[in-house]
Amino acid sequence: MPTQLQHARDGTVTAEMERVAEREHRDPEFVRRQVADGQAVIPANRAHDALDPMIIGREFATKVNANIGNSDTTSGVEDELEKLHTAVHYGADTVMDLSTGDDLDAIREANVERSPVPIGTVPIYEAVTRVDDVADITPELLLDVIEKQAAQGVDYMTIHAGVLAEHLPLTDGRTTGIVSRGGSILAQWMEAHGEQNPLYARFADICDIFREHDVTFSLGDGLRPGSLADAGDAAQFAELDTLGELTRTAWDEGVQVMVEGPGHVPLDEVAENVERQQEVCDGAPFYLLGPLVTDVAPGYDHITSAIGAAEAARHGAAMLCYVTPKEHLGLPDAEDVRDGMAAYRIAAHSGDVAAGRPGARDWDDALSEARYDFDWERQFSLALDPERAREFHDQTLPGDNYKDARFCSMCGVEFCSMRIDQDTRDADGEMETIEGDTDLSTSPAAEVNRPPTGTHDAEPVADAAGTDTAETDDD
């Protein structure tokens, strides 16, 4: 069967394109043209039966990916399903399973079976678990792992094919060396064998596998900077040039492509990085990890990176890979996933508002109107994280009577500026009365830019993970 890219080039609007058009409030023919031109991707493995298709491209609402996965010391299938449930509930558009510990097949199959959003993986991680030493990895083993994961229904895979042997000396003067797990593994392999990156050497074979199952390339940034000191160096941009070459090769083979971007970048260089990728890779969707705009805040890197992510979204990044508070410190749990998702949904939405996406600001206007009207229940329902908003309000004013109050505990009755403003307008007669009129039901905004944040049914995941579903009816 043809891939989404091949269908689009043939002039066919697929069922997946129709669904995407509905979710984005765009014309299906526009969706088809964007996919045909390689400017957008619809990650949709034919074996992922639970999938509700979505699209990634700079002309569409900015998407957010959540990374989950176990390690060799922490987490099992049930824990990972709980993380998947949390990510979907709080608005993840895709989820990457980065597991490196035990039960890899069971975790991956459980995720694909239950996830309504695309699942991504990094197959070289599994390859490492199958050998005693990285040097023992063979090209055939890599292809076997990729083929198996594709058959299991994985929608997109990070393939670090742009890290070439000739790029490695360019990292010698770095402050933090090679920080990508995939990049460091491949560098070790190339040093041990004195040969070229097998993912680059066998790229045509990988294209054959991806085309058969309609898996989307996420071309990995194996030489991304791991500190501000290394941002924008020769190694990063040499790899980017190779990724541009590989993008065109994959397109020639009828395979969809997005390109991953740098991790640590000063704020003033974020736009330049987005624009350079778009030029080098002929407009292929840019998928950014972060970027982190400062290195000084371990424990708060969901904030340092969300700042860069919002700037990247404003300038055309198509998808943002969230960072949790545990980045650089430990394996995130479900609460860390929640915090990371909140930070990145804020970043993505802020970028869409700044970029003038159709209807994106309607959500902001509706919540502001509810706030001015002291409609607390509507404020909660419109909030990015309704449970958190209600929880914080009720910590100091828990009674039902306070849901009609014209104040909160921050200012109290006498000093509430909005109450004072309303009373002045009512009494004065010269100042115009303010009434909200934003109707979200008629907004042209894409689904991700209107409430509720989690638009997918997460109950199947919650049931499998033993998670309480009482508060997820509106997912």
Side-chain angles (χ1 to χ4, degrees):
M1 292 179 61
T3 64
Q4 292 293 323
L5 176 57
Q6 291 171 322
H7 274 306
R9 287 173 174 171
D10 290 342
T12 301
V13 175
T14 64
E16 290 81 5
M17 296 174 201
E18 291 276 5
R19 173 59 178 143
V20 163
E22 177 187 359
R23 296 183 64 190
E24 298 284 332
H25 293 265
R26 306 299 287 270
D27 181 68
E29 176 60 21
F30 177 76
V31 172
R32 184 199 65 77
R33 290 197 305 269
Q34 286 286 298
V35 174
D37 292 341
Q39 308 302 287
V41 297
I42 301 176
N45 188 313
R46 300 187 189 96
H48 189 170
D49 295 332
L51 180 67
D52 184 6
M54 52 81 71
I55 195 165
I56 302 166
R58 69 183 178 279
E59 295 298 324
F60 302 93
T62 306
K63 303 307 189 297
V64 175
N65 170 71
N67 287 341
I68 62 174
N70 73 353
S71 70
D72 59 0
T73 61
T74 310
S75 190
V77 175
E78 186 169 310
D79 293 325
E80 292 310 309
L81 285 175
E82 182 182 2
K83 293 178 193 176
L84 175 62
H85 169 266
T86 302
V88 172
H89 177 57
Y90 290 106
D93 298 293
T94 76
V95 172
M96 290 200 77
D97 174 11
L98 306 185
S99 295
T100 58
D102 296 330
D103 300 323
L104 296 183
D105 281 326
I107 290 172
R108 188 180 310 114
E109 289 169 357
N111 285 337
V112 171
E113 180 183 357
R114 295 174 175 87
S115 176
V117 303
I119 295 293
T121 61
V122 187
I124 197 169
Y125 295 172
E126 181 178 350
V128 170
T129 68
R130 292 205 192 176
V131 296
D132 294 326
D133 186 271
V134 167
D136 296 333
I137 294 175
T138 65
E140 288 70 28
L141 172 60
L142 288 170
L143 292 175
D144 286 347
V145 170
I146 291 169
E147 170 68 42
K148 182 190 71 172
Q149 293 191 5
Q152 288 173 320
V154 170
D155 301 287
Y156 67 97
M157 298 186 200
T158 295
I159 303 295
H160 297 91
V163 182
L164 303 186
E166 54 266 36
H167 298 161
L168 302 185
L170 300 176
T171 67
D172 289 345
R174 282 184 159 187
T175 296
T176 48
I178 300 174
V179 298
S180 159
R181 289 194 292 197
S184 63
I185 291 165
L186 287 163
Q188 183 180 355
W189 189 93
M190 286 186 279
E191 287 290 315
H193 289 272
E195 298 177 13
Q196 188 55 277
N197 180 349
L199 296 175
Y200 180 83
R202 303 295 292 272
F203 193 74
D205 295 325
I206 301 173
C207 286
D208 290 341
I209 296 171
F210 278 23
R211 185 173 56 251
E212 178 183 354
H213 299 275
D214 202 356
V215 176
T216 298
F217 273 109
S218 185
L219 292 176
D221 51 344
L223 298 181
R224 66 176 179 266
S227 57
L228 297 190
D230 297 337
D233 69 358
Q236 176 191 339
F237 290 136
E239 180 187 26
L240 178 60
D241 289 341
T242 305
L243 297 182
E245 168 202 328
L246 295 172
T247 295
R248 290 180 282 276
T249 299
W251 282 343
D252 289 343
E253 296 295 327
V255 180
Q256 300 185 96
V257 184
M258 57 184 170
V259 178
E260 297 183 15
H264 294 241
V265 177
L267 186 58
D268 61 307
E269 297 179 16
V270 172
E272 174 190 341
N273 271 262
V274 177
E275 291 161 2
R276 184 164 182 161
Q277 182 275 342
Q278 292 289 275
E279 179 180 354
V280 171
C281 299
D282 295 340
F286 201 12
Y287 167 31
L288 271 75
L289 173 65
L292 287 77
V293 296
T294 180
D295 299 333
V296 302
Y300 298 94
D301 279 334
H302 60 312
I303 298 173
T304 63
S305 60
I307 293 169
E311 179 74 351
R314 181 167 79 96
H315 287 281
M319 185 161 75
L320 311 172
C321 183
Y322 86 164
V323 173
T324 76
K326 290 272 181 63
E327 187 78 11
H328 304 113
L329 300 173
L331 188 73
D333 59 20
E335 190 63 20
D336 297 315
V337 171
R338 178 183 185 177
D339 289 342
M341 278 306 309
Y344 270 72
R345 282 260 62 102
I346 293 168
H349 180 70
S350 300
D352 285 345
V353 170
R357 296 271 180 248
R361 211 194 69 191
D362 290 346
W363 186 1
D364 302 77
D365 292 348
L367 195 146
S368 296
E369 290 160 7
R371 179 178 291 142
Y372 186 78
D373 289 341
F374 296 102
D375 187 340
W376 294 103
E377 291 296 344
R378 182 157 172 77
Q379 282 190 65
F380 300 151
S381 68
L382 290 175
L384 187 86
D385 184 339
E387 296 97 335
R388 179 67 56 82
R390 182 183 294 275
E391 173 194 349
F392 281 6
H393 174 272
D394 290 358
Q395 282 178 0
T396 50
L397 298 175
D400 288 343
N401 56 308
Y402 290 115
K403 302 302 186 293
D404 296 319
R406 297 173 67 207
F407 63 91
C408 71
S409 62
M410 182 173 183
C411 296
V413 180
E414 296 300 324
F415 286 92
C416 178
S417 58
M418 289 189 181
R419 181 198 60 76
I420 294 170
D421 183 76
Q422 286 181 0
D423 290 348
T424 301
R425 291 174 186 277
D426 290 343
D428 183 76
E430 294 184 7
M431 296 177 67
E432 187 175 310
T433 301
I434 297 175
E435 295 182 3
D437 60 359
T438 301
D439 182 3
L440 288 179
S441 67
T442 62
S443 172
E447 282 188 9
V448 300
N449 276 322
R450 57 165 82 195
T453 304
T455 59
H456 293 287
D457 180 10
E459 281 198 33
V461 187
D463 293 342
T467 304
D468 182 9
T469 62
E471 295 183 330
T472 65
D473 293 338
D474 292 331
D475 287 1

